């Protein structure tokens, strides 16, 4: 039988706790699993919400108070009936029962949006998050004489979810949590506790009780651990969003290195299922990209152990994991800008600042060149896949792929062209003013001779535009007189001029600084005033037959 809201409201309007308790208990039992609501009863549901909040501001017996809070939980599922709960008074009441209210010194005469920030709820949440290492955390929570038996993991998750929403919506709350409330350290400790870590050595982590177990043999994180960890990672991403754009002092750098060590552990951990693991790693990679670049050296700090990937005496497990993660996103080919660029950018900057990382990545992505017969963009190797991205329709994807390969080439134009072909490389080189050759800014070690015997033998026959050895093509101008050649050239100029004047194309030319610039009308005029430009017929009419 469908419950009658008007009857519930009438019983609530009596103001008697026993009548209210009976009414609300029947409503809660009926609606406990309801998540969709009819539009016809919106006004009645809003009225019920107002009445319940009125009861919550009174001294109530625990059973009636619990029934009121359960009704609030049900009513708040309807996004069309939230008005009773989003004003300052209502949120202050709910925050008090949630145990996160703080003393307020100001009471505005009118309500404003985003009331949670004005109520300083972030302070109350942060205060409770500090208790994550407290052995008494699992006690029953006392909220104004209401004893709610709540598992700490559930309360902690909702604290984290609220913190994420506040930091996602308000820039000022992000800054407050990061600076005033020491959010990096606070949330780093939360992540540490969630993952159950211990620290055998400085900036080196292990799973408590499983210190001697290799990372690949560790049991997967539980569903609850993974969900809490991902909420923490998302909050940390919000409050570190501008970190790479500013300098950090020694104390901040130490915090970020500590956090980086935990993120390395996240990267080497697995969740319950492949899809959940990828989501977990995705949040980890996003946050790693916000860390100050010098602090990324923590990825290389763990000692080389049996089973580790070693390169130049350094543990490359984390870097190799990042590379595999990036290639998996690249192979999927879906929403590359959102899914691929975070990991690709992270690898680029890591390779730029750490020599061992760059050389390891180069050995994987740009091994000594032996294939000189297939174009750089043709094939299934990681190099081939990345070169294909250099002509991607999305400018950000194209530029990021080119930048990664350019860094692996130590920003050497000749080496970059060698591995990608001049045609694919032209976009980045033009943007940097390097079309005339040379090397861009960047501090790298001296070049080593990496040419294979196959490449040295074919080098003189490689087409620099395509990057491969091509069959010799016949000369299309063979047999033409000089006048015919000049006529064909001027005919081409006229075609370009027409396309330019109709804004179909914008002709460009290479400037003295190595950058491309627009071909101006004055430049075109110099060409079009050539006497041969005015000729309508070739000097030798046979050329038309030749064409």
């Amino acid at each position: 039988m469908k419950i009658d809201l008007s009857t519930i409201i009438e019983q609530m309007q009596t103001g008697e706790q026993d009548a209210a308790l009976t009414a609300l208990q029947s409503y809660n039992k009926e609606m406990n699993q309801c998540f969709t609501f009819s539009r016809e009863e919106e006004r009645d549901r809003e009225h019920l919400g107002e009445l319940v909040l009125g009861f919550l501001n009174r001294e109530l017996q625990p059973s009636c108070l619990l029934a009121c809070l359960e009704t609030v939980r049900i009513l708040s599922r309807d996004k069309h009936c939230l008005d009773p709960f989003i004003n300052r008074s209502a949120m202050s009441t709910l925050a008090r029962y949630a145990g996160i209210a703080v003393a307020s010194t100001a009471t505005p005469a009118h309500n404003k949006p985003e009331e949670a920030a004005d109520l300083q709820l972030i302070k109350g949440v942060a205060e409770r998050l500090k208790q994550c290492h407290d052995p008494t955390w699992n006690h029953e929570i006392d909220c104004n004489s209401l004893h709610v038996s709540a598992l700490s993991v559930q309360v902690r998750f909702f604290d984290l979810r609220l913190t994420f929403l506040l930091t996602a919506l308000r820039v000022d709350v992000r800054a407050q949590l990061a600076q005033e409330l020491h959010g990096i350290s606070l949330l780093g400790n939360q992540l540490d506790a969630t993952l159950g870590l211990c620290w055998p050595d400085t900036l080196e982590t292990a799973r408590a009780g499983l210190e001697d177990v290799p990372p690949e043999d560790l049991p997967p994180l539980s569903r609850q651990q993974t969900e809490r960890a991902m909420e923490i990672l998302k909050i940390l991403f919000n409050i570190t969003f501008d970190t790479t754009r500013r300098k950090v002092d020694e104390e901040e750098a130490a915090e970020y290195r500590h956090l980086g060590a935990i993120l390395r552990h996240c990267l080497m951990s697995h969740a319950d299922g492949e899809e959940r693991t990828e989501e977990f790693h995705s949040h980890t990679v996003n946050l790693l990209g916000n860390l100050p670049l010098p602090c990324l050296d923590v990825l290389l700090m763990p000692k080389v152990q049996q089973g580790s990937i070693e390169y130049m005496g350094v543990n490359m497990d984390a870097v190799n994991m990042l590379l595999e993660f990036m290639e998996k996103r690249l192979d999927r080919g879906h929403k590359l800008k959102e899914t691929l660029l975070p990991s690709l950018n992270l690898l680029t900057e890591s390779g730029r600042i750490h020599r061992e990382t760059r050389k390891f990545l180069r050995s994987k992505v740009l091994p000594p060149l032996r294939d000189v017969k297939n174009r750089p963009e043709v094939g299934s190797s990681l190099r081939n896949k990345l070169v294909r991205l250099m002509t991607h329709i999305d400018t950000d994807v194209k530029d990021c792929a080119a930048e990664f390969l350019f860094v692996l080439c130590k920003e050497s134009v000749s080496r970059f062209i060698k591995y990608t072909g001049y045609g694919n490389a032209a976009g980045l080189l033009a943007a940097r003013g390097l079309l005339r050759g040379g090397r861009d800014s960047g501090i790298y070690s001296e070049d080593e001779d990496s040419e294979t015997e196959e490449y040295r033998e074919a080098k003189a026959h490689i087409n620099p535009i395509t990057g491969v050895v091509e069959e010799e093509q016949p000369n299309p101008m063979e047999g033409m007189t000089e006048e015919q050649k000049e006529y064909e050239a001027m005919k081409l100029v006229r075609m370009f001029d027409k396309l330019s004047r109709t804004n179909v194309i914008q002709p460009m030319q290479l400037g003295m600084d190595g950058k491309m610039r627009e071909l101006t009308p004055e430049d075109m005029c110099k060409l079009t005033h050539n006497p041969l430009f005015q000729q309508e017929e070739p000097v030798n009419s046979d050329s038309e037959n030749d064409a």
Side-chain angles (χ1 to χ4, degrees):
M1 185 176 71
K2 183 179 179 182
I3 195 164
D4 186 0
L5 256 182
S6 60
T7 302
I8 302 294
I9 290 173
E10 287 176 5
Q11 290 179 284
M12 293 290 294
Q13 286 175 327
T14 65
E16 297 179 0
Q17 288 195 46
D18 290 343
L21 176 60
T22 302
L24 292 181
Q25 284 179 337
S26 63
Y27 180 80
N28 296 342
K29 182 179 180 180
E30 177 74 21
M31 304 296 288
N32 187 45
Q33 297 301 317
C34 181
F35 292 90
T36 57
F37 302 85
S38 65
R39 300 298 294 268
E40 291 80 13
E41 295 182 328
E42 280 185 9
R43 296 291 297 273
D44 286 340
R45 284 195 297 276
E46 286 190 4
H47 191 191
L48 178 59
E50 292 166 355
L51 291 170
V52 169
L53 283 166
F55 268 76
L56 287 174
N57 286 315
R58 295 167 48 183
E59 290 291 332
L60 298 176
Q61 57 188 3
S63 58
C64 187
L65 189 50
L66 180 59
C68 286
L69 291 173
E70 288 180 345
T71 304
V72 170
R73 175 172 57 83
I74 293 169
L75 293 174
S76 63
R77 295 171 184 166
D78 184 1
K79 64 180 181 181
H80 299 291
C81 296
L82 293 178
D83 285 350
F85 309 115
I86 59 176
N87 60 68
R88 186 181 185 88
S89 175
M91 295 193 73
S92 179
T93 298
L94 295 174
R96 177 161 50 90
Y97 284 111
I100 56 174
V102 295
S104 177
T105 57
T107 306
H110 57 85
N111 295 326
K112 299 187 297 182
E114 294 176 346
E115 292 291 349
D118 295 326
L119 288 168
Q120 295 292 298
L121 297 189
I122 192 66
K123 286 186 175 180
V125 175
E127 189 60 37
R128 191 152 66 199
L129 289 176
K130 291 178 183 177
Q131 303 172 22
C132 67
H133 287 293
D134 190 336
T136 64
W137 215 100
N138 290 324
H139 71 310
E140 292 185 340
I141 301 173
D142 183 25
C143 297
N144 286 7
S145 300
L146 170 65
H147 294 277
V148 182
S149 181
L151 292 173
S152 64
V153 290
Q154 293 176 321
V155 176
R156 196 180 307 174
F157 178 77
F158 285 115
D159 284 343
L160 293 171
R161 176 56 60 86
L162 177 59
T163 304
F164 168 70
L165 292 173
L166 290 172
T167 55
L169 295 171
R170 291 285 294 253
V171 176
D172 55 339
V173 172
R174 288 178 217 164
Q176 183 182 15
L177 179 57
Q179 299 165 20
E180 177 187 338
L181 302 175
H182 308 289
I184 306 298
S185 175
L186 172 64
L187 290 160
N189 289 337
Q190 273 282 309
L191 195 53
D192 184 321
T194 297
L195 299 173
L197 299 184
C198 63
W199 297 78
D201 203 347
T202 305
L203 298 180
E204 194 165 334
T205 61
R207 197 88 60 86
L210 300 169
E211 292 87 345
D212 298 326
V213 178
E216 62 273 14
D217 295 333
L218 286 173
L221 299 171
S222 70
R223 187 180 184 85
Q224 287 183 332
Q225 281 180 303
T226 308
E227 287 181 346
R228 288 203 307 275
M230 288 194 293
E231 287 298 319
I232 297 169
L233 293 172
K234 291 191 293 184
I235 299 166
L236 282 166
F237 178 85
N238 287 345
I239 66 175
T240 60
F241 188 69
D242 66 340
T243 304
T244 54
R245 300 178 180 87
R246 63 181 178 85
K247 291 185 177 179
V248 293
D249 57 30
E250 289 186 11
E251 183 178 351
E252 288 178 304
E255 282 188 346
Y256 282 115
R257 278 197 167 87
H258 182 84
L259 176 59
I262 301 176
L263 295 181
R264 182 189 183 281
H265 187 92
C266 291
L267 201 62
M268 303 306 295
S269 298
H270 291 79
D272 55 334
E274 186 176 345
E275 187 175 337
R276 185 60 62 90
T277 297
E278 185 170 346
E279 184 184 3
F280 179 45
H281 287 169
S282 179
H283 289 302
T284 303
V285 169
N286 290 344
L287 180 53
L288 276 169
N290 283 358
L291 264 57
L293 296 180
C295 299
L296 292 177
D297 58 358
V298 295
L299 296 177
L300 311 178
M301 282 187 173
K303 302 179 183 71
V304 176
Q305 299 176 347
Q306 186 175 0
S308 297
I309 298 175
E310 179 184 355
Y311 191 84
M312 298 176 66
V314 176
N315 186 321
M316 287 292 171
D317 288 346
V319 176
N320 189 66
M321 180 69 79
L322 284 172
L323 188 63
E324 290 179 351
F325 180 81
M326 183 272 288
E327 187 170 11
K328 187 183 297 184
R329 291 294 178 94
L330 174 55
D331 289 341
R332 189 167 299 158
H334 179 63
K335 293 184 178 179
L336 289 179
K337 187 171 182 176
E338 293 81 4
T339 61
L340 174 68
L341 295 200
S343 55
L344 194 52
N345 273 321
L346 179 58
L347 288 169
T348 300
E349 297 306 325
S350 298
R352 196 193 306 274
I353 198 169
H354 296 122
R355 176 173 176 262
E356 295 87 354
T357 299
R358 176 183 56 76
K359 292 175 78 67
F360 173 75
L361 291 173
R362 184 179 167 193
S363 72
K364 295 288 186 179
V365 181
L366 299 178
L369 190 57
R370 301 181 186 280
D371 182 4
V372 293
K373 299 202 174 186
N374 291 310
R375 289 173 178 253
E377 64 271 22
V378 176
S380 59
S381 72
L382 186 50
R383 174 179 75 111
N384 304 142
K385 297 172 187 177
L386 289 166
V387 172
R388 284 197 290 273
L389 285 187
M390 293 170 66
T391 53
H392 195 274
I393 190 171
D394 189 297
T395 304
D396 290 333
V397 173
K398 175 179 69 175
D399 292 346
C400 192
E403 185 73 16
F404 177 57
L405 294 175
F406 195 50
V407 166
L408 296 192
C409 292
K410 296 194 287 191
E411 303 187 12
S412 163
V413 173
S414 60
R415 179 172 291 170
F416 188 48
I417 292 173
K418 167 185 169 181
Y419 280 101
T420 67
Y422 192 88
N424 293 316
L428 180 141
L429 298 180
R432 290 172 174 250
L434 296 172
L435 284 174
R436 292 178 179 269
R439 166 175 266 162
D440 197 12
S441 59
I443 301 174
Y444 297 98
S445 57
E446 288 299 316
D447 284 346
E448 63 271 16
D449 183 11
S450 62
E451 291 187 355
T452 62
E453 185 176 344
E454 295 92 332
Y455 182 80
R456 278 196 295 268
E457 290 178 356
K459 188 174 182 179
H461 307 288
I462 291 176
N463 182 334
I465 303 299
T466 61
V468 295
V469 174
E470 296 181 342
E471 293 183 8
E472 194 169 335
Q473 301 293 323
N475 184 353
M477 292 190 175
E478 189 174 352
M480 285 188 184
T481 65
E482 290 302 317
E483 290 81 1
Q484 287 173 322
K485 292 177 183 178
E486 191 163 1
Y487 169 78
E488 293 297 331
M490 299 318 299
K491 184 178 175 182
L492 185 61
V493 170
R494 287 199 301 272
M495 292 168 61
F496 272 110
D497 181 52
K498 181 178 179 181
L499 292 172
S500 176
R501 282 187 280 105
T502 54
N503 294 320
V504 175
I505 64 168
Q506 173 59 63
M508 308 288 285
Q509 65 178 341
L510 186 61
M512 294 300 294
D513 59 356
K515 291 187 178 181
M516 299 298 291
R517 69 176 182 84
E518 293 182 6
L519 199 63
T520 65
E522 291 75 16
D523 297 323
M524 292 296 295
C525 187
K526 292 176 183 178
L527 294 173
T528 57
H529 276 73
N530 188 298
L532 286 175
F533 184 81
Q534 305 299 328
Q535 292 180 229
E536 295 298 331
E537 297 295 332
V539 174
N540 187 333
S541 60
D542 290 341
S543 65
E544 195 166 298
N545 296 327
D546 293 340

